[in-house]
PDB file of all heavy atoms in Angstrom:
ATOM      1  N   ARG Q1574      -8.246 -30.725 -26.051  1.00  0.00           N
ATOM      2  CA  ARG Q1574      -7.513 -29.411 -26.016  1.00  0.00           C
ATOM      3  C   ARG Q1574      -6.052 -29.667 -26.364  1.00  0.00           C
ATOM      4  O   ARG Q1574      -5.608 -30.762 -26.362  1.00  0.00           O
ATOM      5  CB  ARG Q1574      -7.645 -28.816 -24.629  1.00  0.00           C
ATOM      6  CG  ARG Q1574      -8.994 -28.497 -24.106  1.00  0.00           C
ATOM      7  CD  ARG Q1574      -8.978 -27.795 -22.787  1.00  0.00           C
ATOM      8  NE  ARG Q1574      -8.412 -26.430 -22.883  1.00  0.00           N
ATOM      9  CZ  ARG Q1574      -9.166 -25.333 -23.085  1.00  0.00           C
ATOM     10  NH1 ARG Q1574     -10.509 -25.413 -23.417  1.00  0.00           N
ATOM     11  NH2 ARG Q1574      -8.545 -24.172 -23.261  1.00  0.00           N
ATOM     12  N   VAL Q1575      -5.388 -28.583 -26.718  1.00  0.00           N
ATOM     13  CA  VAL Q1575      -3.986 -28.675 -26.951  1.00  0.00           C
ATOM     14  C   VAL Q1575      -3.283 -27.645 -26.068  1.00  0.00           C
ATOM     15  O   VAL Q1575      -3.692 -26.466 -26.059  1.00  0.00           O
ATOM     16  CB  VAL Q1575      -3.559 -28.406 -28.408  1.00  0.00           C
ATOM     17  CG1 VAL Q1575      -2.091 -28.533 -28.759  1.00  0.00           C
ATOM     18  CG2 VAL Q1575      -4.448 -29.276 -29.400  1.00  0.00           C
ATOM     19  N   ARG Q1576      -2.313 -28.146 -25.334  1.00  0.00           N
ATOM     20  CA  ARG Q1576      -1.640 -27.265 -24.346  1.00  0.00           C
ATOM     21  C   ARG Q1576      -0.171 -27.006 -24.688  1.00  0.00           C
ATOM     22  O   ARG Q1576       0.474 -27.956 -25.240  1.00  0.00           O
ATOM     23  CB  ARG Q1576      -1.796 -27.965 -22.990  1.00  0.00           C
ATOM     24  CG  ARG Q1576      -1.193 -27.113 -21.819  1.00  0.00           C
ATOM     25  CD  ARG Q1576      -1.792 -27.414 -20.466  1.00  0.00           C
ATOM     26  NE  ARG Q1576      -1.296 -28.736 -19.982  1.00  0.00           N
ATOM     27  CZ  ARG Q1576      -1.834 -29.376 -18.942  1.00  0.00           C
ATOM     28  NH1 ARG Q1576      -2.787 -28.833 -18.323  1.00  0.00           N
ATOM     29  NH2 ARG Q1576      -1.315 -30.521 -18.601  1.00  0.00           N
ATOM     30  N   PHE Q1577       0.319 -25.827 -24.360  1.00  0.00           N
ATOM     31  CA  PHE Q1577       1.615 -25.349 -24.821  1.00  0.00           C
ATOM     32  C   PHE Q1577       2.446 -25.032 -23.648  1.00  0.00           C
ATOM     33  O   PHE Q1577       1.963 -24.302 -22.639  1.00  0.00           O
ATOM     34  CB  PHE Q1577       1.524 -24.198 -25.731  1.00  0.00           C
ATOM     35  CG  PHE Q1577       0.467 -24.310 -26.846  1.00  0.00           C
ATOM     36  CD1 PHE Q1577      -0.652 -23.496 -26.775  1.00  0.00           C
ATOM     37  CD2 PHE Q1577       0.650 -25.206 -27.834  1.00  0.00           C
ATOM     38  CE1 PHE Q1577      -1.640 -23.601 -27.753  1.00  0.00           C
ATOM     39  CE2 PHE Q1577      -0.333 -25.374 -28.840  1.00  0.00           C
ATOM     40  CZ  PHE Q1577      -1.436 -24.512 -28.792  1.00  0.00           C
ATOM     41  N   ALA Q1578       3.757 -25.321 -23.586  1.00  0.00           N
ATOM     42  CA  ALA Q1578       4.649 -24.823 -22.630  1.00  0.00           C
ATOM     43  C   ALA Q1578       5.945 -24.342 -23.297  1.00  0.00           C
ATOM     44  O   ALA Q1578       6.265 -24.803 -24.439  1.00  0.00           O
ATOM     45  CB  ALA Q1578       4.988 -25.976 -21.690  1.00  0.00           C
ATOM     46  N   PRO Q1589       3.354 -21.712 -10.290  1.00  0.00           N
ATOM     47  CA  PRO Q1589       2.906 -22.477 -11.528  1.00  0.00           C
ATOM     48  C   PRO Q1589       3.685 -22.072 -12.758  1.00  0.00           C
ATOM     49  O   PRO Q1589       4.027 -21.007 -12.974  1.00  0.00           O
ATOM     50  CB  PRO Q1589       1.436 -22.077 -11.651  1.00  0.00           C
ATOM     51  CG  PRO Q1589       1.346 -20.693 -10.997  1.00  0.00           C
ATOM     52  CD  PRO Q1589       2.345 -20.646  -9.900  1.00  0.00           C
ATOM     53  N   GLN Q1590       3.988 -23.200 -13.535  1.00  0.00           N
ATOM     54  CA  GLN Q1590       4.568 -22.951 -14.781  1.00  0.00           C
ATOM     55  C   GLN Q1590       3.579 -22.239 -15.733  1.00  0.00           C
ATOM     56  O   GLN Q1590       2.404 -22.485 -15.641  1.00  0.00           O
ATOM     57  CB  GLN Q1590       5.072 -24.323 -15.434  1.00  0.00           C
ATOM     58  CG  GLN Q1590       5.835 -24.127 -16.656  1.00  0.00           C
ATOM     59  CD  GLN Q1590       6.136 -25.393 -17.312  1.00  0.00           C
ATOM     60  OE1 GLN Q1590       5.655 -26.487 -16.990  1.00  0.00           O
ATOM     61  NE2 GLN Q1590       7.019 -25.407 -18.390  1.00  0.00           N
ATOM     62  N   PHE Q1591       4.143 -21.422 -16.655  1.00  0.00           N
ATOM     63  CA  PHE Q1591       3.183 -20.723 -17.515  1.00  0.00           C
ATOM     64  C   PHE Q1591       2.821 -21.649 -18.661  1.00  0.00           C
ATOM     65  O   PHE Q1591       3.671 -21.828 -19.684  1.00  0.00           O
ATOM     66  CB  PHE Q1591       3.818 -19.386 -18.083  1.00  0.00           C
ATOM     67  CG  PHE Q1591       2.825 -18.707 -19.001  1.00  0.00           C
ATOM     68  CD1 PHE Q1591       1.618 -18.088 -18.447  1.00  0.00           C
ATOM     69  CD2 PHE Q1591       3.013 -18.665 -20.334  1.00  0.00           C
ATOM     70  CE1 PHE Q1591       0.733 -17.509 -19.322  1.00  0.00           C
ATOM     71  CE2 PHE Q1591       2.056 -17.963 -21.172  1.00  0.00           C
ATOM     72  CZ  PHE Q1591       0.966 -17.429 -20.668  1.00  0.00           C
ATOM     73  N   ILE Q1592       1.686 -22.355 -18.595  1.00  0.00           N
ATOM     74  CA  ILE Q1592       1.182 -23.181 -19.684  1.00  0.00           C
ATOM     75  C   ILE Q1592      -0.164 -22.845 -20.014  1.00  0.00           C
ATOM     76  O   ILE Q1592      -0.956 -22.373 -19.088  1.00  0.00           O
ATOM     77  CB  ILE Q1592       1.271 -24.646 -19.241  1.00  0.00           C
ATOM     78  CG1 ILE Q1592       0.583 -25.063 -17.937  1.00  0.00           C
ATOM     79  CG2 ILE Q1592       2.814 -25.088 -19.165  1.00  0.00           C
ATOM     80  CD1 ILE Q1592       0.641 -26.435 -17.602  1.00  0.00           C
ATOM     81  N   LYS Q1593      -0.554 -22.849 -21.273  1.00  0.00           N
ATOM     82  CA  LYS Q1593      -1.926 -22.523 -21.756  1.00  0.00           C
ATOM     83  C   LYS Q1593      -2.426 -23.500 -22.745  1.00  0.00           C
ATOM     84  O   LYS Q1593      -1.601 -24.034 -23.437  1.00  0.00           O
ATOM     85  CB  LYS Q1593      -1.854 -21.107 -22.472  1.00  0.00           C
ATOM     86  CG  LYS Q1593      -1.563 -19.883 -21.495  1.00  0.00           C
ATOM     87  CD  LYS Q1593      -2.624 -19.564 -20.586  1.00  0.00           C
ATOM     88  CE  LYS Q1593      -3.931 -19.155 -21.278  1.00  0.00           C
ATOM     89  NZ  LYS Q1593      -4.978 -18.599 -20.236  1.00  0.00           N
ATOM     90  N   SER Q1594      -3.718 -23.675 -22.828  1.00  0.00           N
ATOM     91  CA  SER Q1594      -4.393 -24.554 -23.789  1.00  0.00           C
ATOM     92  C   SER Q1594      -5.429 -23.859 -24.616  1.00  0.00           C
ATOM     93  O   SER Q1594      -6.018 -22.983 -24.044  1.00  0.00           O
ATOM     94  CB  SER Q1594      -4.799 -25.883 -23.133  1.00  0.00           C
ATOM     95  OG  SER Q1594      -5.820 -25.487 -22.206  1.00  0.00           O
ATOM     96  N   VAL Q1595      -5.609 -24.339 -25.707  1.00  0.00           N
ATOM     97  CA  VAL Q1595      -6.717 -23.961 -26.524  1.00  0.00           C
ATOM     98  C   VAL Q1595      -7.636 -25.179 -26.865  1.00  0.00           C
ATOM     99  O   VAL Q1595      -7.133 -26.332 -26.950  1.00  0.00           O
ATOM    100  CB  VAL Q1595      -6.270 -23.320 -27.849  1.00  0.00           C
ATOM    101  CG1 VAL Q1595      -5.451 -22.061 -27.606  1.00  0.00           C
ATOM    102  CG2 VAL Q1595      -5.444 -24.220 -28.763  1.00  0.00           C
ATOM    103  N   TYR Q1635      -2.349 -16.855 -25.058  1.00  0.00           N
ATOM    104  CA  TYR Q1635      -2.326 -18.106 -25.716  1.00  0.00           C
ATOM    105  C   TYR Q1635      -1.066 -18.285 -26.639  1.00  0.00           C
ATOM    106  O   TYR Q1635      -0.798 -19.370 -27.138  1.00  0.00           O
ATOM    107  CB  TYR Q1635      -3.527 -18.399 -26.553  1.00  0.00           C
ATOM    108  CG  TYR Q1635      -4.772 -18.436 -25.655  1.00  0.00           C
ATOM    109  CD1 TYR Q1635      -5.504 -17.422 -25.361  1.00  0.00           C
ATOM    110  CD2 TYR Q1635      -5.054 -19.708 -24.978  1.00  0.00           C
ATOM    111  CE1 TYR Q1635      -6.571 -17.413 -24.536  1.00  0.00           C
ATOM    112  CE2 TYR Q1635      -6.200 -19.808 -24.137  1.00  0.00           C
ATOM    113  CZ  TYR Q1635      -6.882 -18.601 -23.929  1.00  0.00           C
ATOM    114  OH  TYR Q1635      -7.929 -18.727 -23.029  1.00  0.00           O
ATOM    115  N   GLU Q1644       1.083 -30.545 -25.771  1.00  0.00           N
ATOM    116  CA  GLU Q1644       0.502 -31.692 -25.151  1.00  0.00           C
ATOM    117  C   GLU Q1644      -0.902 -31.776 -25.475  1.00  0.00           C
ATOM    118  O   GLU Q1644      -1.673 -30.776 -25.242  1.00  0.00           O
ATOM    119  CB  GLU Q1644       0.661 -31.585 -23.553  1.00  0.00           C
ATOM    120  CG  GLU Q1644       0.194 -32.729 -22.811  1.00  0.00           C
ATOM    121  CD  GLU Q1644       0.168 -32.439 -21.316  1.00  0.00           C
ATOM    122  OE1 GLU Q1644       0.521 -31.349 -20.833  1.00  0.00           O
ATOM    123  OE2 GLU Q1644      -0.330 -33.280 -20.544  1.00  0.00           O
ATOM    124  N   LEU Q1646      -4.572 -32.886 -24.876  1.00  0.00           N
ATOM    125  CA  LEU Q1646      -5.391 -33.242 -23.648  1.00  0.00           C
ATOM    126  C   LEU Q1646      -6.650 -33.951 -24.034  1.00  0.00           C
ATOM    127  O   LEU Q1646      -7.381 -33.524 -24.968  1.00  0.00           O
ATOM    128  CB  LEU Q1646      -5.712 -32.041 -22.769  1.00  0.00           C
ATOM    129  CG  LEU Q1646      -4.543 -31.157 -22.403  1.00  0.00           C
ATOM    130  CD1 LEU Q1646      -5.031 -29.956 -21.601  1.00  0.00           C
ATOM    131  CD2 LEU Q1646      -3.526 -31.897 -21.614  1.00  0.00           C
ATOM    132  N   GLY Q1648      -8.976 -34.372 -21.717  1.00  0.00           N
ATOM    133  CA  GLY Q1648     -10.041 -33.736 -20.732  1.00  0.00           C
ATOM    134  C   GLY Q1648      -9.844 -32.312 -20.714  1.00  0.00           C
ATOM    135  O   GLY Q1648      -9.236 -31.695 -21.602  1.00  0.00           O
ATOM    136  N   GLU Q1649     -10.403 -31.736 -19.596  1.00  0.00           N
ATOM    137  CA  GLU Q1649     -10.321 -30.243 -19.455  1.00  0.00           C
ATOM    138  C   GLU Q1649      -8.906 -29.965 -18.928  1.00  0.00           C
ATOM    139  O   GLU Q1649      -8.127 -30.805 -18.359  1.00  0.00           O
ATOM    140  CB  GLU Q1649     -11.397 -29.744 -18.491  1.00  0.00           C
ATOM    141  CG  GLU Q1649     -12.776 -29.776 -19.087  1.00  0.00           C
ATOM    142  CD  GLU Q1649     -12.815 -29.128 -20.420  1.00  0.00           C
ATOM    143  OE1 GLU Q1649     -12.369 -27.990 -20.547  1.00  0.00           O
ATOM    144  OE2 GLU Q1649     -13.344 -29.809 -21.432  1.00  0.00           O
ATOM    145  N   ASP Q1650      -8.592 -28.633 -18.861  1.00  0.00           N
ATOM    146  CA  ASP Q1650      -7.372 -28.134 -18.385  1.00  0.00           C
ATOM    147  C   ASP Q1650      -7.498 -27.435 -17.055  1.00  0.00           C
ATOM    148  O   ASP Q1650      -8.232 -26.455 -16.954  1.00  0.00           O
ATOM    149  CB  ASP Q1650      -6.702 -27.233 -19.362  1.00  0.00           C
ATOM    150  CG  ASP Q1650      -5.253 -26.844 -19.083  1.00  0.00           C
ATOM    151  OD1 ASP Q1650      -4.785 -27.144 -17.989  1.00  0.00           O
ATOM    152  OD2 ASP Q1650      -4.632 -26.155 -19.900  1.00  0.00           O
ATOM    153  N   ASP Q1651      -6.891 -28.108 -15.946  1.00  0.00           N
ATOM    154  CA  ASP Q1651      -7.115 -27.507 -14.620  1.00  0.00           C
ATOM    155  C   ASP Q1651      -5.796 -26.857 -14.152  1.00  0.00           C
ATOM    156  O   ASP Q1651      -5.707 -26.476 -13.022  1.00  0.00           O
ATOM    157  CB  ASP Q1651      -7.561 -28.515 -13.630  1.00  0.00           C
ATOM    158  CG  ASP Q1651      -6.631 -29.665 -13.524  1.00  0.00           C
ATOM    159  OD1 ASP Q1651      -5.555 -29.600 -14.143  1.00  0.00           O
ATOM    160  OD2 ASP Q1651      -6.877 -30.646 -12.767  1.00  0.00           O
ATOM    161  N   SER Q1652      -4.885 -26.555 -15.057  1.00  0.00           N
ATOM    162  CA  SER Q1652      -3.703 -25.772 -14.775  1.00  0.00           C
ATOM    163  C   SER Q1652      -4.011 -24.396 -14.353  1.00  0.00           C
ATOM    164  O   SER Q1652      -4.974 -23.801 -14.810  1.00  0.00           O
ATOM    165  CB  SER Q1652      -2.724 -25.874 -15.817  1.00  0.00           C
ATOM    166  OG  SER Q1652      -3.079 -25.262 -16.970  1.00  0.00           O
ATOM    167  N   TYR Q1653      -3.122 -23.795 -13.562  1.00  0.00           N
ATOM    168  CA  TYR Q1653      -3.373 -22.437 -12.895  1.00  0.00           C
ATOM    169  C   TYR Q1653      -3.704 -21.416 -13.933  1.00  0.00           C
ATOM    170  O   TYR Q1653      -4.766 -20.677 -13.784  1.00  0.00           O
ATOM    171  CB  TYR Q1653      -2.123 -22.144 -12.104  1.00  0.00           C
ATOM    172  CG  TYR Q1653      -2.226 -20.765 -11.574  1.00  0.00           C
ATOM    173  CD1 TYR Q1653      -2.945 -20.543 -10.357  1.00  0.00           C
ATOM    174  CD2 TYR Q1653      -1.694 -19.650 -12.144  1.00  0.00           C
ATOM    175  CE1 TYR Q1653      -3.027 -19.295  -9.797  1.00  0.00           C
ATOM    176  CE2 TYR Q1653      -1.732 -18.361 -11.555  1.00  0.00           C
ATOM    177  CZ  TYR Q1653      -2.517 -18.169 -10.453  1.00  0.00           C
ATOM    178  OH  TYR Q1653      -2.598 -16.957  -9.926  1.00  0.00           O
ATOM    179  N   TYR Q1654      -2.940 -21.317 -15.033  1.00  0.00           N
ATOM    180  CA  TYR Q1654      -3.147 -20.122 -15.928  1.00  0.00           C
ATOM    181  C   TYR Q1654      -4.324 -20.300 -16.861  1.00  0.00           C
ATOM    182  O   TYR Q1654      -4.650 -19.451 -17.704  1.00  0.00           O
ATOM    183  CB  TYR Q1654      -1.917 -19.854 -16.687  1.00  0.00           C
ATOM    184  CG  TYR Q1654      -0.841 -19.123 -15.809  1.00  0.00           C
ATOM    185  CD1 TYR Q1654       0.256 -19.883 -15.442  1.00  0.00           C
ATOM    186  CD2 TYR Q1654      -0.897 -17.788 -15.537  1.00  0.00           C
ATOM    187  CE1 TYR Q1654       1.245 -19.350 -14.652  1.00  0.00           C
ATOM    188  CE2 TYR Q1654       0.063 -17.229 -14.687  1.00  0.00           C
ATOM    189  CZ  TYR Q1654       1.118 -17.965 -14.227  1.00  0.00           C
ATOM    190  OH  TYR Q1654       2.037 -17.333 -13.492  1.00  0.00           O
ATOM    191  N   VAL Q1655      -4.986 -21.464 -16.728  1.00  0.00           N
ATOM    192  CA  VAL Q1655      -6.300 -21.582 -17.470  1.00  0.00           C
ATOM    193  C   VAL Q1655      -7.414 -21.612 -16.474  1.00  0.00           C
ATOM    194  O   VAL Q1655      -8.470 -20.998 -16.763  1.00  0.00           O
ATOM    195  CB  VAL Q1655      -6.206 -22.909 -18.302  1.00  0.00           C
ATOM    196  CG1 VAL Q1655      -7.580 -23.255 -18.895  1.00  0.00           C
ATOM    197  CG2 VAL Q1655      -5.116 -22.836 -19.420  1.00  0.00           C
ATOM    198  N   ALA Q1656      -7.279 -22.422 -15.397  1.00  0.00           N
ATOM    199  CA  ALA Q1656      -8.482 -22.591 -14.577  1.00  0.00           C
ATOM    200  C   ALA Q1656      -8.533 -21.495 -13.499  1.00  0.00           C
ATOM    201  O   ALA Q1656      -9.642 -21.160 -13.019  1.00  0.00           O
ATOM    202  CB  ALA Q1656      -8.342 -23.894 -13.804  1.00  0.00           C
ATOM    203  N   LYS Q1657      -7.434 -20.848 -13.152  1.00  0.00           N
ATOM    204  CA  LYS Q1657      -7.490 -19.821 -12.012  1.00  0.00           C
ATOM    205  C   LYS Q1657      -7.195 -18.457 -12.516  1.00  0.00           C
ATOM    206  O   LYS Q1657      -7.605 -17.395 -11.878  1.00  0.00           O
ATOM    207  CB  LYS Q1657      -6.528 -20.240 -10.946  1.00  0.00           C
ATOM    208  CG  LYS Q1657      -6.821 -21.535 -10.290  1.00  0.00           C
ATOM    209  CD  LYS Q1657      -7.889 -21.295  -9.146  1.00  0.00           C
ATOM    210  CE  LYS Q1657      -8.270 -22.565  -8.394  1.00  0.00           C
ATOM    211  NZ  LYS Q1657      -7.941 -23.843  -8.876  1.00  0.00           N
ATOM    212  N   SER Q1658      -6.353 -18.319 -13.487  1.00  0.00           N
ATOM    213  CA  SER Q1658      -5.908 -16.968 -13.916  1.00  0.00           C
ATOM    214  C   SER Q1658      -6.435 -16.751 -15.331  1.00  0.00           C
ATOM    215  O   SER Q1658      -6.927 -17.605 -15.982  1.00  0.00           O
ATOM    216  CB  SER Q1658      -4.391 -17.002 -13.883  1.00  0.00           C
ATOM    217  OG  SER Q1658      -3.884 -15.645 -14.300  1.00  0.00           O
ATOM    218  N   TYR Q1659      -6.220 -15.535 -15.834  1.00  0.00           N
ATOM    219  CA  TYR Q1659      -6.734 -15.139 -17.201  1.00  0.00           C
ATOM    220  C   TYR Q1659      -8.102 -15.524 -17.375  1.00  0.00           C
ATOM    221  O   TYR Q1659      -8.596 -16.136 -18.360  1.00  0.00           O
ATOM    222  CB  TYR Q1659      -5.878 -15.817 -18.268  1.00  0.00           C
ATOM    223  CG  TYR Q1659      -4.466 -15.243 -18.319  1.00  0.00           C
ATOM    224  CD1 TYR Q1659      -3.343 -15.890 -17.887  1.00  0.00           C
ATOM    225  CD2 TYR Q1659      -4.332 -14.007 -18.876  1.00  0.00           C
ATOM    226  CE1 TYR Q1659      -2.056 -15.393 -17.974  1.00  0.00           C
ATOM    227  CE2 TYR Q1659      -3.027 -13.404 -18.937  1.00  0.00           C
ATOM    228  CZ  TYR Q1659      -1.913 -14.115 -18.460  1.00  0.00           C
ATOM    229  OH  TYR Q1659      -0.688 -13.560 -18.578  1.00  0.00           O
ATOM    230  N   ARG Q1660      -8.992 -15.091 -16.417  1.00  0.00           N
ATOM    231  CA  ARG Q1660     -10.441 -15.342 -16.528  1.00  0.00           C
ATOM    232  C   ARG Q1660     -11.209 -13.992 -16.289  1.00  0.00           C
ATOM    233  O   ARG Q1660     -10.772 -13.149 -15.607  1.00  0.00           O
ATOM    234  CB  ARG Q1660     -10.813 -16.427 -15.389  1.00  0.00           C
ATOM    235  CG  ARG Q1660     -10.227 -17.752 -15.586  1.00  0.00           C
ATOM    236  CD  ARG Q1660     -10.594 -18.805 -14.665  1.00  0.00           C
ATOM    237  NE  ARG Q1660     -11.958 -19.233 -14.926  1.00  0.00           N
ATOM    238  CZ  ARG Q1660     -12.245 -20.216 -15.687  1.00  0.00           C
ATOM    239  NH1 ARG Q1660     -11.340 -20.968 -16.275  1.00  0.00           N
ATOM    240  NH2 ARG Q1660     -13.559 -20.590 -15.875  1.00  0.00           N
ATOM    241  N   PRO Q1677     -12.667 -18.323 -19.218  1.00  0.00           N
ATOM    242  CA  PRO Q1677     -11.437 -17.979 -19.701  1.00  0.00           C
ATOM    243  C   PRO Q1677     -11.407 -16.878 -20.648  1.00  0.00           C
ATOM    244  O   PRO Q1677     -12.464 -16.747 -21.404  1.00  0.00           O
ATOM    245  CB  PRO Q1677     -10.915 -19.167 -20.447  1.00  0.00           C
ATOM    246  CG  PRO Q1677     -11.895 -20.276 -20.101  1.00  0.00           C
ATOM    247  CD  PRO Q1677     -13.092 -19.667 -19.645  1.00  0.00           C
TER     248      PRO Q1677
END
Side-chain angles (χ1 to χ4, degrees):
Chain Q
R1574 299 184 71 87
V1575 182
R1576 185 158 69 189
F1577 314 112
Q1590 190 186 6
F1591 181 69
I1592 55 178
K1593 290 291 294 188
S1594 62
V1595 296
Y1635 295 94
E1644 185 190 357
L1646 307 179
E1649 288 313 306
D1650 188 350
D1651 58 5
S1652 65
Y1653 175 81
Y1654 285 103
V1655 173
K1657 295 279 180 345
S1658 184
Y1659 289 105
R1660 298 184 72 93

